[in-house]
Structures are given as structure tokens and as C-alpha cells.
Amino acid sequence: MFSWTADQEHLRAAIEDLGGALSEGHAARDRLESFPAEQWKLLADAGLFGLPVEEPYGGLGQDLLTTMFVLEELGHSCRDAGLSFSASTQIVSTGVPLQRFGHERLKARHLPRIASGEAITAHAITEPEGGSDALRMRTTARQDGDSYVLNGSKTFVTNGPIADLFTVYARTGTAPGVGAITAVLVERDTPGLTVGGSISKMGLRTSPFCELHFDDCRVPADNVIGRPGSGFWIFDYVMKREILCSFIINIGEMRHRLERTVEYARTRRTATGPVGSHQAVAHRIVEMKVRLETARLWMYETARKVQLGRDTTVDVAIGKLLASTANVRSASEALQIHGGYGYTSEYGLEQQFRDALPGLTYSGTSDIQKNRIATMLGL
Ligand SMILES: Cc1cc2nc3c(=O)[nH]c(=O)nc-3n(C[C@H](O)[C@H](O)[C@H](O)COP(=O)(O)OP(=O)(O)OC[C@H]3O[C@@H](n4cnc5c(N)ncnc54)[C@H](O)[C@@H]3O)c2cc1C
């Protein structure tokens, strides 16, 4: 099992200490679908957004495992799952590809603002016509001298309504296949970019998402991240880290929910004893624990392999399936074990159920993860 150093524990504890302040007022914000700007600032001041950013660019230079360890605590301590989801998008969407593939000018200009939280970031892959088959994207980036001109639309862009920087994946080649996609950094005030209004949704309601429209949107060729045509590999690199970072938050959320459900089952009385003394209930709680621990171990072990540079395509897909389905089951079991109270807004469990469900869809749906595993099995 993994053990953590005093420095890693120190970073984790800083987020645990913020838990109350991050969670305060979250139910009202959920109702209003309002982004928690004050709590965002708390996370920025705590250095969360700079965790994986190298020190010369103002970050803390932490590795993937440490970043995940701290994010797990965010999920455990913070009841605003939308805030946590937006925070993981901030960490992964633009800073990660920029740091690994970006050239020095682009890194020097943007990474310090991303690490400090001054610039909010998003990434745009999905299009209104479909997201599962990213290679079929229609948005184009046509080279014109020392510029690229973008045309097309993206949708469901997390943080989009409030973002300053977008990593946009667009088609630069005409031939089908992986070599036709390029990652381009687009600043919000670029003429030709229209940022749509926030789209109302069922869960993660404090994390806004929206459409983006590009109409002859001209960006300097210098804004290309990596080489033209390398976007698919950048996307693959980013998605692995997105899945590990956003779903380790779910693991933290499940841990908190398990603690809370055990407490309830020990103290809520029935005619013959506490709710939890009934084997039917106790077994459901045990299954919550088994799914949580299995998914948790798998996620950290996969991150360890990622850090060693191993091929983790199947491991990441399995991890996403394990964590997302465990989170939905955990939320629905907790709701059920809390009886009628579980169904009330006051107890917050119905919100957790709504927040868990989109995990089956974002970062590649469960069907797509299974397709990926089937392909690797030679099917
Ligand atoms: C909360 C949330 C946040 C998101 N954030 C972002 C973001 O920041 N940036 C971004 O670009 N996108 C984002 N998305 C979009 C997300 O990545 C897509 O919704 C997802 O990839 C599915 O694409 P789609 O919605 O177009 O569904 P479709 O691709 O139209 O799929 C519809 C259904 O068909 C199934 N299906 C499709 N193709 C296959 C196949 N080949 N085999 C089997 N089943 C298949 C899918 O599993 C799904 O059930 C977000 C989505 C949500 C819900």
C-alpha cells in the first residue's frame, strides 16, 4: 500500500483545514447554479492550482501521485463537488499540456497565471455533433501565414463561462486519422471567439459549462501547443491525468459518504436496534467499502505506472469504470440507507447522487472505456 511523506501530509492537511470554508453555502449555490468565486480564491491561495506546475513557473512542482493525494482530500473535505470538479479541470486542462508540450514563451507567459489561479482554464474537445469519437471533430484550424484561423463549435466546456484560457483541439489536416488534430491555446478576448452562456444541468451545478463558437478566430501560430498534428497524443496524455485527478476526488467523496453512512447506521434506531445491525444494511455498507478501497488502490497504482512511463491505456480505462460506477452506487446506497431523510435536500445526499451521475459520461463514457479495453483485448 502507498505511504505518504510528512511533506505530502502537510499539503493534504492544508486542504482538510479549508474543508468547512469550501463547503459553506454549497447547497444554496447548487440551487442557484452559481460558481463559488470566493472558495475558488481560497483554493488558489492554498496553492492547489500550482501543485503540478514546476517551481520556476510559480508552482509547487509536485508529481502526479502527490497531486492526487491532495485532490482526494479535496473530495473528502469539500461538499461542493462542482467546485472540486472545476478545480481538477483547472489543474489538468491547460497547465498539464502546456508544461509537457508547450514551448518556452508560451509557458513563461501563461503557467504562472494558471498556477496562481489568476487565469481560469478549460479545454474544448466535444462538439455539438458528438464527443465520443473525438477524431471526427469538425472544428478546423487553418494555417494562414503566422496565424491559425479557427472555425466551428465546441460544447460542454467545463469552466468555459468563466475561463480566461482555452486549450482547443481542432482539425488542421484533411486526412482522417490521428495526425490531423492540433492543440491550440486561445485567449478569451480573441476576436472571433464567442463564449456561450452557462448551460443548466442536473448535477455539478456550481461548475459551469458552455458552448464555444469560433468564427474566423485568428490566433498566432505561436499558440500551438506541441507540434501541429500532435493534438491526438496530447489529448491522450491529458485525458489519462484528467481521469486520475478528477476520479480520485470521487474517491475522497466516497470516503466521506461512507464515514457519514456508518455513523448514521450506528445511531439511527429501529424497533430491534440500530439500522446498521440489520445484515441487509450492513452488507450494503460493506459493499460500499469494498468498491471504494478497490477503486482507490487501482487509481494510485495506475498513477504509479503512469509516472514510470508504462502503457496505462487499459489501466486508466478500468480505473475510470471502477471509480465512476462505485461513486454512483455509493451515492445511491447512502441515499437509501438514510431512508426518507436521504431523499430530502437538507441531507445533501440527493445532490451527491446528481453530482455522481455525470462521471459515467465525462472524460469518455463507460461504453467508450469498455470499447477501449475490448480493443486492447483484441476484440
Ligand atoms: C459534467 C460534464 C462535463 C464535461 N466537460 C467537458 C469539457 O470540459 N470539455 C469537453 O470537451 N467535453 C466535456 N464534456 C463532454 C463529454 O466529454 C461528452 O459528453 C462525452 O464524451 C460523450 O459525448 P457526447 O455527449 O457527444 O455523447 P455521444 O458521443 O453522442 O454518445 C451518446 C451515447 O452513445 C454512446 N456511444 C457513442 N459512441 C459509441 C460507441 N462507439 N460505442 C458504444 N457506445 C457509444 C455513448 O456511450 C453515449 O451513451 C463534459 C460532459 C459532462 C457531462
Side-chain angles (χ1 to χ4, degrees):
M1 191 45 203
F2 293 88
S3 58
W4 307 100
T5 65
D7 285 348
Q8 290 168 321
E9 280 290 352
H10 182 71
L11 291 167
R12 185 203 61 74
I15 295 300
E16 183 180 25
D17 290 346
L18 279 182
L22 295 173
S23 307
E24 201 178 315
H26 75 91
R29 290 196 299 274
D30 175 70
R31 275 195 298 282
L32 297 169
E33 291 196 80
S34 103
F35 175 73
E38 271 177 41
Q39 285 75 6
W40 186 264
K41 178 90 176 45
L42 292 177
L43 289 177
D45 291 347
L48 187 87
F49 304 136
L51 273 172
V53 177
E54 290 158 8
E55 284 171 303
Y57 302 103
L60 298 174
Q62 299 298 318
D63 63 7
L64 178 62
L65 276 165
T66 310
T67 302
M68 287 169 63
F69 182 54
V70 178
L71 287 174
E72 183 188 343
E73 185 56 51
L74 180 66
H76 183 248
S77 302
C78 171
R79 298 285 58 77
D80 186 342
L83 170 63
S84 303
F85 184 63
S86 275
S88 89
T89 299
Q90 168 79 5
I91 288 173
V92 174
S93 63
T94 301
V96 161
L98 203 52
Q99 178 157 282
R100 173 68 183 79
F101 302 100
H103 59 73
E104 189 48 42
R105 282 185 307 283
L106 216 51
K107 284 161 70 164
R109 178 159 179 209
H110 297 295
L111 278 177
R113 297 167 63 222
I114 296 172
S116 70
E118 181 198 332
I120 298 183
T121 63
H123 56 176
I125 306 107
T126 309
E127 301 193 345
E129 294 78 16
S132 292
D133 188 357
L135 284 178
R136 276 181 49 228
M137 68 176 61
R138 294 182 185 178
T139 299
T140 53
R142 179 179 48 82
Q143 183 156 22
D144 181 26
D146 56 3
S147 306
Y148 276 84
V149 180
L150 279 82
N151 280 288
S153 296
K154 297 286 180 181
T155 194
F156 306 139
V157 178
T158 296
N159 290 351
I162 47 166
D164 304 285
L165 290 174
F166 300 90
T167 300
V168 179
Y169 293 82
R171 179 170 293 287
T172 41
T174 46
V178 293
I181 310 292
T182 297
V184 185
L185 195 72
V186 182
E187 298 191 41
R188 187 187 185 91
D189 56 5
T190 311
L193 165 62
T194 306
V195 178
S198 191
I199 303 169
S200 184
K201 60 186 182 311
M202 175 182 179
L204 301 176
R205 286 159 62 87
T206 59
S207 169
F209 69 6
C210 70
E211 289 194 349
L212 302 180
H213 302 284
F214 301 93
D215 185 12
D216 286 336
C217 174
R218 185 177 288 271
V219 296
D222 215 35
N223 279 21
V224 167
I225 302 175
R227 282 178 292 103
S230 66
F232 178 81
W233 290 278
I234 295 177
F235 174 63
D236 182 62
Y237 180 91
V238 170
M239 270 301 130
K240 287 195 169 100
R241 284 145 185 88
E242 169 165 298
I243 287 172
L244 292 168
C245 287
S246 63
F247 288 92
I248 203 71
I249 292 175
N250 283 180
I251 301 284
E253 290 163 353
M254 280 187 257
R255 229 167 17 91
H256 177 268
R257 198 178 296 128
L258 178 68
E259 290 160 8
R260 183 180 167 180
T261 305
V262 167
E263 179 61 19
Y264 187 82
R266 284 161 59 93
T267 51
R268 170 80 175 169
R269 308 291 302 177
T270 67
T272 55
V275 164
S277 66
H278 298 286
Q279 200 179 55
V281 175
H283 281 191
R284 291 217 295 280
I285 294 177
V286 168
E287 282 164 17
M288 285 169 74
K289 166 95 176 149
V290 170
R291 281 191 289 267
L292 157 63
E293 297 298 349
T294 314
R296 183 172 190 266
L297 194 55
W298 189 275
M299 296 297 270
Y300 281 120
E301 175 57 14
T302 300
R304 193 185 66 82
K305 289 186 190 168
V306 167
Q307 288 193 176
L308 290 173
R310 304 232 179 106
D311 180 1
T312 52
T313 302
V314 169
D315 306 71
V316 171
I318 293 174
K320 206 235 152 182
L321 280 172
L322 280 176
S324 60
T325 51
N327 195 29
V328 173
R329 285 290 298 278
S330 146
S332 109
E333 296 288 23
L335 197 150
Q336 184 71 21
I337 290 164
H338 281 73
Y341 292 112
Y343 203 64
T344 63
S345 300
E346 187 193 338
Y347 269 58
L349 289 160
E350 58 82 28
Q351 182 190 328
Q352 291 185 24
F353 186 60
R354 289 188 281 109
D355 290 339
L357 278 176
L360 304 177
T361 300
Y362 60 72
S363 309
T365 69
S366 301
D367 299 324
I368 296 304
Q369 303 305 333
K370 287 178 189 167
N371 287 355
R372 202 159 280 156
I373 298 165
T375 304
M376 299 303 271
L377 289 171
L379 300 169

